[in-house]
Amino acid sequence: MFYCQYLSGMGHLVRSTEIVRNLVKDFQVYFINGGPEIAGFEMPSQVELIRLPALWLEEGKFTVGDNQSVEDVKEIRKNLLISEFDKIKPDCLITEFFPFGRHKLFFELIPFVEHIKNTSPTTKIVCSLRDVIGKESEPEEEEIICNLMNRYFDLLLFHADSNFQQFSESFTRHKDIKSEIIYTGFVTQSPKNYANDASPLWGDVTETAKILVSVGGGRIGYELLETVIKASPILAKEIPHFIKIFTGPFMPEDKVRQLRQLADGRLGDRSNIQIETYTLQLLEYMKTADIALSLSGYNTIMNILSTGVRAIVVPVGHEKQDQEQLVRTQKLESLGLVDYILPQNLTASHLVQKIISGLNKNQSWRKCKFDLHGAETTSFVLKNYLSHKAIF
């Protein structure tokens, strides 16, 4: 069983799905999805999907579907997790991010793992954790994390390359974690090979700079998209270009409408800008783009590393003191793998300068030497671990 909850964006779902795509080669996988449904998002067909009543955050508060109360949904979810576990009796439960995050979901997760320990002690419980936790934990919260890891968890899979990020950098109490910690490498998606022919995606835009702009799920990132549209007429004086914008499935409709109005001519001719909500071919767009502009969440950065595209990123936080994107971005910038603009410096003129500079950089040296096979390694590790073989 694989428990995944995305409360604001969709990065946790994308990473989890890529892991599951490899797990199904060796395991029967039951995927617990606790977030809102995303039209067009594809889960591997072999997966048995367990959909909890959706729960997500808006302005820091739990939000649920129509005609439901938050308290009713909490109770339903808690009971459904336990009943599904009892029905399936899996060899292993993987929790994505918990207990290093998802503390707002203690109401269902603590009873869940407690039930497993009490009724099925042979079931292994594994934590799946990204490279940078991001939020600086208070001492009390770190103590809770250590207690939960040591009470319930058998293994920690850290989805990072040790040459880029050490677990000790992400969690100061790392020495107090008793379970084994395995570095899997980064979890990435595999783009299709469009060779040098970008026309199936971009149309006839030869001798024109192809600029891809995306903001993940879209709950955050509106300011970047707005700035890109405003920057386009300034950039047009220097470079012919075509801009493809993906707003993300969670951007509010009124915000998308505002962007379309801005792009459709309020400030002049914007026929060189296309705005769409979501695509399953984001990596293919990225691989064939001349430059990509985005936020710097885990999955977006993995896409940048795997495709080698020139990139400008804007590191933002989902909540106060959230340094995840900034930490990752500054490390990558120091290695010459991305350029970045801090949110407070995001203006149309500054963005144009960055785009021109980025397009003039040689792309051939942007070869990533990090381990990008985290999904495959995760499956390999779990296969050996659950069969009581040496992991490495």
Side-chain angles (χ1 to χ4, degrees):
M1 293 182 82
F2 195 117
Y3 172 97
C4 175
Q5 173 69 58
Y6 42 103
L7 291 171
S8 54
M10 57 185 290
H12 295 278
L13 175 64
V14 172
R15 182 170 55 254
S16 298
T17 301
E18 200 58 32
I19 292 171
V20 165
R21 200 180 309 281
N22 283 270
L23 289 177
V24 294
K25 299 173 185 177
D26 295 305
F27 300 95
Q28 173 61 57
V29 179
Y30 298 83
F31 190 82
I32 303 166
N33 188 330
E37 194 166 353
I38 300 172
F41 188 87
E42 294 181 350
M43 184 66 62
S45 59
Q46 307 96 315
V47 172
E48 293 284 344
L49 184 61
I50 300 169
R51 190 170 287 284
L52 303 179
L55 198 62
W56 64 96
L57 288 176
E58 289 186 7
E59 297 181 354
K61 295 181 180 180
F62 275 137
T63 304
V64 297
D66 296 337
N67 304 317
Q68 294 176 303
S69 73
V70 171
E71 291 308 314
D72 285 347
V73 166
K74 284 183 174 182
E75 189 67 19
I76 293 169
R77 286 169 57 109
K78 182 183 71 173
N79 294 333
L80 186 58
L81 281 172
I82 292 173
S83 64
E84 288 294 326
F85 177 85
D86 288 343
K87 186 192 309 180
I88 295 164
K89 294 182 172 56
D91 299 297
C92 178
L93 168 73
I94 302 173
T95 63
E96 201 279 329
F97 206 31
F98 174 75
F100 293 89
R102 301 292 175 260
H103 291 190
K104 293 179 183 292
L105 297 162
F106 274 4
F107 68 87
E108 66 184 19
L109 285 168
I110 299 298
F112 187 34
V113 292
E114 184 69 26
H115 175 79
I116 293 172
K117 283 299 182 186
N118 289 335
T119 64
S120 183
T122 59
T123 296
K124 300 298 183 182
I125 303 181
V126 176
C127 172
S128 170
L129 184 64
R130 71 186 181 206
D131 59 339
V132 181
I133 297 171
K135 187 178 179 182
E136 291 187 14
S137 300
E138 299 294 332
E140 296 83 0
E141 187 175 12
E142 289 187 334
E143 181 69 20
I144 291 171
I145 292 170
C146 288
N147 289 338
L148 290 172
M149 276 298 301
N150 294 336
R151 177 177 174 84
Y152 298 112
F153 286 79
D154 301 288
L155 185 65
L156 171 59
L157 298 176
F158 189 54
H159 302 305
D161 185 312
S162 59
N163 293 314
F164 179 81
Q165 179 79 1
Q166 289 284 322
F167 178 63
S168 58
E169 297 176 83
S170 282
F171 190 65
T172 58
R173 293 275 303 272
H174 58 100
K175 291 183 179 179
D176 295 323
I177 301 295
K178 296 178 182 177
S179 66
E180 190 167 3
I181 300 167
I182 301 293
Y183 288 78
T184 67
F186 289 119
V187 175
T188 58
Q189 299 168 279
S190 299
K192 297 174 184 177
N193 184 12
Y194 272 91
N196 296 318
D197 182 11
S199 59
L201 298 172
W202 296 87
D204 185 15
V205 290
T206 54
E207 299 183 8
T208 300
K210 299 181 293 297
I211 301 174
L212 174 67
V213 192
S214 62
V215 289
R219 292 199 197 279
I220 56 177
Y222 174 84
E223 293 77 13
L224 172 58
L225 305 188
E226 181 183 46
T227 305
V228 168
I229 295 172
K230 291 179 178 179
S232 179
I234 305 173
L235 182 62
K237 297 175 183 177
E238 305 289 337
I239 299 174
H241 64 276
F242 181 83
I243 299 174
K244 189 83 171 185
I245 292 176
F246 291 102
T247 66
F250 300 142
M251 182 166 285
E253 290 183 9
D254 63 322
K255 293 289 188 182
V256 176
R257 188 164 53 250
Q258 290 171 26
L259 292 172
R260 292 190 189 280
Q261 289 173 350
L262 189 61
D264 283 345
R266 181 175 289 184
L267 297 177
D269 181 18
R270 297 290 188 277
S271 60
N272 65 326
I273 300 175
Q274 284 187 359
I275 299 176
E276 296 184 22
T277 301
Y278 178 69
T279 178
L280 290 172
Q281 296 179 298
L282 185 64
L283 266 79
E284 288 73 63
Y285 275 104
M286 192 171 284
K287 190 172 183 180
T288 52
D290 293 301
I291 195 166
L293 315 181
S294 64
L295 308 183
S296 53
Y298 183 99
N299 296 292
T300 300
I301 292 298
M302 295 308 107
N303 293 344
I304 291 168
L305 294 180
S306 66
T307 60
V309 68
R310 301 178 185 91
I312 301 168
V313 299
V314 179
V316 298
H318 292 271
E319 52 187 288
K320 291 180 179 178
Q321 298 180 334
D322 184 354
Q323 299 291 304
E324 175 219 341
Q325 294 197 13
L326 182 61
V327 169
R328 186 182 296 117
T329 299
Q330 289 177 333
K331 281 195 170 190
L332 290 167
E333 193 270 344
S334 69
L335 295 170
L337 294 171
V338 300
D339 291 326
Y340 75 95
I341 302 175
L342 294 174
Q344 60 267 31
N345 298 328
L346 185 61
T347 64
S349 58
H350 187 39
L351 181 58
V352 167
Q353 293 173 6
K354 283 284 190 179
I355 292 173
I356 293 172
S357 174
L359 287 171
N360 287 329
K361 287 185 178 179
N362 187 339
Q363 198 171 8
S364 63
W365 56 270
R366 292 175 167 274
K367 299 298 181 183
C368 174
K369 297 181 180 179
F370 296 128
D371 180 356
L372 303 179
H373 302 286
E376 298 95 321
T377 300
T378 294
S379 183
F380 172 81
V381 166
L382 287 174
K383 185 177 180 180
N384 286 309
Y385 181 71
L386 295 174
S387 59
H388 307 290
K389 296 180 181 177
I391 294 177
F392 288 111

